[in-house]
Amino acid sequence: MKSYLLIPLFFLYLGCTSPPLPVFPTTEGICPKSDLFVLSQPEIDVQTGNDLVGIYCKANITPIGFEWEISLVFRDEIHPSTWKDFFYRIYRRIRYGRNYDIESFLVRLEPDGKTFQLDLKNVYSGDQIFQEDPVVHKDRILSSSLLENRNSLPILYVNTWNHMFGEKDNNPELSKQEIQISEFRFGSRSQLDGYFGTY
């Protein structure tokens, strides 16, 4: 490959910065402040620039009760391999127009108001570990009773570098940073996708 052909790729790589996080007009569907769960993320993921920077939520009423659509926004999604990350970053810039990694799932509240189900469609880790490559996006519905607890709050583990979640810690050898998920910005995943797609 001619070296001059790499120049546009290099500038695309350098120019892959994300726009500011949006603030959407508040309408119906606001999620109230609620001590929902604790997110446990490997410290190495945070230290490399993949920290959690925003939590969006849109509440919906369904035929079976209340459902919250939660979108966790991580600052980035840096691949553990430097050379793979270079090309992965270019792909993400073209595909998503952002560095942010946005992972969304549903929380279905039980009638008791204390327990819930997590619908981790396309964001469930299974047994995969942090350095897994490639990572398979799995599906799973978890009852909050299946999650470990910390100070009476269920824990959701970030198990892979691209932020797939699970009910157990697949990386016990890695130090963790824990974040209590309780306050939300208003917004749905479709609003977030629309904002970044038109930015």
Side-chain angles (χ1 to χ4, degrees), residues 165-184:
F165 309 110
E167 73 278 23
K168 64 181 190 300
D169 182 4
N170 295 348
N171 305 282
E173 74 287 358
L174 299 179
S175 299
K176 306 295 187 304
Q177 176 174 300
E178 295 186 347
I179 305 141
Q180 187 168 310
I181 305 299
S182 59
E183 293 192 59
F184 313 97

Side-chain angles (χ1 to χ4, degrees), residues 71-193:
S71 296
L72 302 181
V73 183
F74 297 89
R75 187 176 308 279
D76 210 330
E77 186 180 79
I78 299 171
H79 196 289
S81 164
T82 304
W83 73 269
K84 285 185 180 180
D85 184 63
F86 178 86
F87 292 102
Y88 186 56
R89 187 158 303 281
I90 293 168
Y91 162 76
R92 289 180 66 230
R93 179 62 172 177
I94 295 168
R95 176 72 173 85
Y96 302 110
R98 56 176 162 82
N99 283 351
Y100 297 125
D101 177 34
I102 304 173
E103 303 296 348
S104 302
F105 52 85
L106 297 176
V107 176
R108 297 191 181 100
L109 303 178
E110 301 286 4
D112 62 13
K114 297 177 182 176
T115 57
F116 55 85
Q117 288 187 337
L118 289 177
D119 186 346
L120 300 175
K121 184 174 179 149
N122 207 38
V123 294
Y124 180 63
S125 66
D127 293 326
Q128 297 173 104
I129 61 170
F130 186 75
Q131 296 287 342
E132 198 85 26
D133 184 32
V135 176
V136 178
H137 291 240
K138 300 184 178 189
D139 303 336
R140 177 86 190 268
I141 295 176
L142 294 174
S143 168
S144 56
S145 62
L146 294 176
L147 304 178
E148 297 176 16
N149 279 273
R150 180 98 68 245
N151 300 323
S152 301
L153 285 178
I155 304 173
L156 186 64
Y157 290 98
V158 176
N159 281 323
T160 64
W161 60 270
N162 67 337
H163 309 124
M164 298 291 102
F165 309 110
E167 73 278 23
K168 64 181 190 300
D169 182 4
N170 295 348
N171 305 282
E173 74 287 358
L174 299 179
S175 299
K176 306 295 187 304
Q177 176 174 300
E178 295 186 347
I179 305 141
Q180 187 168 310
I181 305 299
S182 59
E183 293 192 59
F184 313 97
R185 299 180 184 213
F186 172 78
S188 68
R189 178 59 187 261
S190 63
Q191 286 176 302
L192 286 165
D193 289 342

